[in-house]
Each structure stands twice: as structure tokens, then as C-alpha cells.
Amino acid sequence: MSGGDLFSALQDDLVQHVLSFLPSRDAVKSATLSRRWRHLWRSTPAVRVRGDGDAFRLFVNTLLIHRDGASPLRLFEIDAAGLLIRPSRPGYDSDEDGDYDDYDYYNEERKVVDPYIDMWIRHAVSTCRARSLTACFKGVDTMWSPPQPPPFASSPHLTTMHLQGVKLAHGLLDFSCCPALLHLTLRACRLHGEAFVAPSLERLSIIDSDIQDGCGEEDSMTPTRICAPSLRYLQLSDENSDWDPSPTAPSLESLPLLTSASIQLSGDTQICYEDTTRSLLLHGLSEATSLELIASTTQGREILLRDLTWCPVFTKLKTLILNEWCVYDDVTALACLMRHTPRIEDLILVLNFKMPPISKVKTEGIYITSEHPFLTYEHLKTVEIKKCRRCYEARVNEILKLFSDCGIPSSKIRIRYKKSQGQPSKQRKFHSV
């Protein structure tokens, strides 16, 4: 504490650990601080690069060439905006014969993924033995479509992968080639194929991505199957997706080890009707102990209501989070779910509608059975209703009446009013039905 150089007292591996949290450009600049630091950046356990253009390509090439190949990577992270391509004749596209096609507005100037991406990722995964890969491509007109086999294949070290703006089609949806992969996040990706296969995967998040059945053909009627028998956590969300044509809902195969799942259908995800003998999602979610089912669009409600026709018994489910899709027209769907959750402990309803809802869901062929009697709910601890103050009260009263018919005591029911801007959240217990 006498004002000396405290960093000089740190061991090299600790300094390298600190440098690993910096962008690689800044880590390299640390070489100018002292003679001791001149080569420390070469062995940092993380490479974080971001940029585009020729200067960016030169920097990444130089960085990977001079990095110490004997030091394994904990993380390789690349955020590339792509290369700017200008055609030889503005507004026209030259073919192999040198002739120009008709004027094409989109061909005036475009950004494409740098072709060196494949080599960089392969070098990081194979040579540097990276355990985690993050590849993000934003602001490009054409997605990164890895070659076959992909540059991340066959690595015995890669356990975590985050991909954004990537197209995976046909055989690229088979992650059997990644035997150590445990965590996978796909954001704003195109996923086109008959099956998504990942035998070793434990955590999967598919966010705002374009899932297309078959080969991505608009008229195909077979949902993409998700086969991940080791999966423990699943997230499917389409809240901010904007694809043309609209994505299709996948079909979940058996997930015997699943403990937690979140399904959020708030975008344009459509449904395939070819298989009318089993559910798309609920069958695969039946082993979960914590489950969130959110649908904020007509298409989303249609998918979940259809699945209730074959609603499985959730023998392990303890926490269930729902929104108004299950009480949009009446409380039949909610009653169906309650009959199939014998060990439920916490039930949370998030209600946002402010007027009598007008359903646009096609219910032809959708039959929600009510033949099973209500359970005793001996494990139930709390029922929480989160609603805005102007929520449609007639439907709330129907919900409370359903809980009363189920024998749920009012002492376990809490109504929480969702706070408005600048106001704290308030809650009250429900004392009478």
C-alpha cells in the first residue's frame, strides 16, 4: 500500500486471467506497459474480436498466428459485421459469361460474412482447443452458413456454443459431431431440417429463430423434430422474430432428464397439422419440474390449445407459469392443466387482457377433455395471479370460481397488481370466492 506497482507482484497466470476479460485489441496493447507484459497477451485464455473490413481481417489473422498455440482457449468470441461488397457495375449482377442481369436494387451494395470466418473458428476450436465458442453476425445481408463438416465439429473440448445470425440446414442440425457440447444458444438463426439432433446437450436455447420443417419449404407439413435425450433445460422463444415465411413450431421428442423449460410464443410461429395423433410440445415437456408456457398471439394460443388434446400427466411438475392463453375464452384449458399436474406446488397466472377477449383461434378438431376429476392438490403452496388493474374482471372471477371448485383454500391465493410506470407493485390476499 506504499504506492508501488501492485501488478508486478501478480503471477503471470493471474494477469492473463484479467486480460482475458478485455477485447483482444486492448489485451495486445498491454504489451507496451513493460518488458514483462510484452508476451503475456499471447497466452490469454480468451480471444474477443469485433469488427469488419480488411483491417479487421488483418488483425485477427495476425493475432491467431502469433498466439501461443500451447495455451488452450477458454473462450473464442467473434462479433463480425461482415465485408462490404460492391459489384463491378452498380445495380447490376455479372454472371459467369460476363453479362449483366437485370437491375437489382439489393445488389447495389451488400455486406457478406468474411470467408476467413471458417478458418478462424476451425483454428480456435481445433488448434487452440477452445471450450466455448461465440459467433455473432449482425448487419449482414447473407447469413454465415458453415461448410460440411462445420469448423466446430469433432472437438473433444468444445462444451459451450452461442451462435447468432447463422444458417444451419440439412446435416448441420446434427450436433452428434460435437461429443462434448453441453450448452447451445441459437439466436436469430435459420434452422432448416427434418431433425435437430444433439445427444450430449444439457441446455438448449432457441431464440427468435426461423425453424422450418423439411428443407424449409413453405408447403412442407412435417415439423422439425428436436431430439436431445440428455437435455435438462429448454428455452423456445419467438418474441422478436420477423421471418418470411413464418417459422413453424418444432416437435419435441422424449426428454427424460428435463427439469426446467420456458416456451414463449409471442411471434409468428405457425403450426403443422400433418400428425394429428400426438402433441408437438407438451409430450416432450412432461418430465419437467418447472415449466413456463406463454402465448401472446393467436398462433401461439392455437399451438398450445391443440396440444391439450393429448395433454400428458406432469408427474414431477412443481412450478407452472401461464399467461392468459389458457383462460382467453373460458377456464377449460386451465382446468385441463390442473387435472394433469398432481404435484403442483406453485401456480402463477399472468393476465394482461383489459376487455372481454374475442378469440380468433380455430378450435375445430381441438378437444380438451374434462373427464378426469379434480385432484386434492395436497402439495399446493401458493396460487399467484398477476394482473393489471383494468384486467377483465369477469374472467378473473371465473378463475377464482374454478379454484374454489378444486378445493383450493382462499388463504393460498394471492392477487398481485402489476405496477404501472412510477408506481410500486401491490399485492393482496384473496379472502373469499
Side-chain angles (χ1 to χ4, degrees):
M1 300 301 292
S2 60
D5 181 8
L6 298 181
F7 276 102
S8 298
L10 299 179
Q11 296 180 356
D12 286 354
D13 57 350
L14 184 55
V15 174
Q16 290 166 344
H17 177 72
V18 173
L19 291 178
S20 71
F21 292 95
L22 296 177
S24 291
R25 283 188 183 274
D26 296 334
V28 172
K29 291 177 182 178
S30 69
T32 62
L33 296 177
S34 69
R35 288 181 178 273
R36 180 197 170 202
W37 287 51
R38 184 174 297 176
H39 301 292
L40 290 180
W41 65 269
R42 299 175 186 268
S43 303
T44 55
V47 170
R48 305 175 188 269
V49 290
R50 179 178 183 179
D52 58 13
D54 294 334
F56 173 69
R57 175 190 290 181
L58 177 61
F59 171 75
V60 178
N61 282 338
T62 305
L63 176 70
L64 295 180
I65 288 173
H66 291 284
R67 189 184 181 278
D68 182 6
S71 300
L73 270 178
R74 185 185 75 247
L75 168 69
F76 181 77
E77 179 181 293
I78 182 166
D79 188 340
L83 288 177
L84 186 62
I85 301 298
R86 294 183 176 90
S88 55
R89 181 178 173 184
Y92 293 83
D93 186 18
S94 176
D95 57 23
E96 296 179 356
D97 300 326
D99 297 329
Y100 289 98
D101 297 335
D102 293 335
Y103 183 84
D104 184 356
Y105 172 81
Y106 295 101
N107 199 35
E108 285 186 349
E109 191 175 271
R110 65 188 187 276
K111 276 191 173 183
V112 299
V113 174
D114 194 312
Y116 275 65
I117 290 292
D118 295 338
M119 181 185 68
W120 294 338
I121 292 180
R122 193 179 305 277
H123 179 82
V125 172
S126 301
T127 304
C128 300
R129 307 182 299 282
R131 298 199 302 268
S132 177
L133 168 66
T134 297
C136 179
F137 305 96
K138 294 179 290 187
V140 295
D141 298 308
T142 56
M143 288 183 162
W144 178 50
S145 184
Q148 186 69 276
F152 45 76
S154 303
S155 170
H157 309 284
L158 187 64
T159 61
T160 303
M161 189 157 51
H162 303 268
L163 302 178
Q164 181 173 352
V166 177
K167 180 178 180 180
L168 301 174
H170 308 295
L172 292 176
L173 284 181
D174 188 349
F175 288 88
S176 301
C177 60
C178 302
L181 189 63
L182 300 177
H183 304 157
L184 176 62
T185 299
L186 302 171
R187 183 183 295 272
C189 293
R190 287 189 180 275
L191 311 176
H192 291 183
E194 296 179 357
F196 175 98
V197 181
S200 62
L201 206 61
E202 294 184 358
R203 294 180 65 89
L204 172 63
S205 296
I206 302 178
I207 304 168
D208 299 338
S209 294
D210 174 27
I211 304 176
Q212 291 290 347
D213 45 291
C215 297
E217 298 177 359
E218 187 174 358
D219 57 350
S220 180
M221 295 297 290
T222 304
T224 299
R225 295 178 292 109
I226 294 181
C227 308
S230 301
L231 208 63
R232 297 180 182 274
Y233 171 80
L234 172 65
Q235 178 187 11
L236 297 177
S237 173
D238 69 346
E239 184 175 359
N240 298 312
S241 61
D242 185 17
W243 301 96
D244 186 20
S246 297
T248 57
S251 173
L252 299 181
E253 299 294 301
S254 177
L255 305 175
L257 302 180
L258 190 71
T259 58
S260 180
S262 174
I263 309 296
Q264 299 185 32
L265 303 175
S266 303
D268 296 328
T269 297
Q270 305 289 335
I271 190 171
C272 292
Y273 281 103
E274 182 183 88
D275 190 350
T276 58
T277 61
R278 65 184 298 272
S279 68
L280 286 175
L281 302 175
L282 294 185
H283 173 75
L285 302 173
S286 60
E287 299 296 325
T289 58
S290 177
L291 180 59
E292 179 181 37
L293 297 175
I294 302 295
S296 303
T297 62
T298 299
Q299 298 94 323
R301 292 197 300 273
E302 186 175 7
I303 292 171
L304 295 181
L305 287 174
R306 173 196 178 276
D307 265 19
L308 288 183
T309 305
W310 304 277
C311 186
V313 177
F314 296 86
T315 56
K316 302 177 183 178
L317 191 63
K318 296 181 179 180
T319 301
L320 178 60
I321 303 175
L322 306 166
N323 73 334
E324 62 268 12
W325 71 268
C326 64
V327 294
Y328 202 80
D329 297 308
D330 51 42
V331 297
T332 305
L334 176 59
C336 177
L337 284 169
M338 294 184 66
R339 289 187 176 94
H340 291 80
T341 52
R343 301 186 65 85
I344 189 72
E345 294 181 3
D346 298 291
L347 174 62
I348 300 174
L349 292 177
V350 183
L351 308 179
N352 288 315
F353 45 55
K354 299 181 180 179
M355 59 186 68
I358 301 176
S359 176
K360 296 182 180 179
V361 174
K362 297 178 180 179
T363 56
E364 295 181 5
I366 299 178
Y367 303 100
I368 302 175
T369 179
S370 59
E371 61 185 15
H372 301 288
F374 283 114
L375 308 172
T376 58
Y377 303 106
E378 57 183 332
H379 303 282
L380 187 65
K381 296 178 180 178
T382 59
V383 175
E384 184 174 351
I385 302 176
K386 298 181 180 180
K387 73 184 191 72
C388 58
R389 288 194 172 274
R390 298 179 61 185
C391 185
Y392 182 48
E393 289 297 336
R395 184 71 76 246
V396 175
N397 291 335
E398 291 181 41
I399 296 171
L400 296 175
K401 177 65 165 58
L402 171 65
F403 292 154
S404 176
D405 293 342
C406 293
I408 298 175
S410 59
S411 59
K412 293 185 177 182
I413 302 174
R414 290 178 173 83
I415 297 178
R416 183 188 297 272
Y417 293 99
K418 298 175 66 177
K419 64 180 180 180
S420 303
Q421 288 184 342
Q423 293 183 349
S425 177
K426 296 181 180 180
Q427 78 174 48
R428 68 177 177 87
K429 283 189 176 182
F430 177 74
H431 295 291
S432 61
V433 177

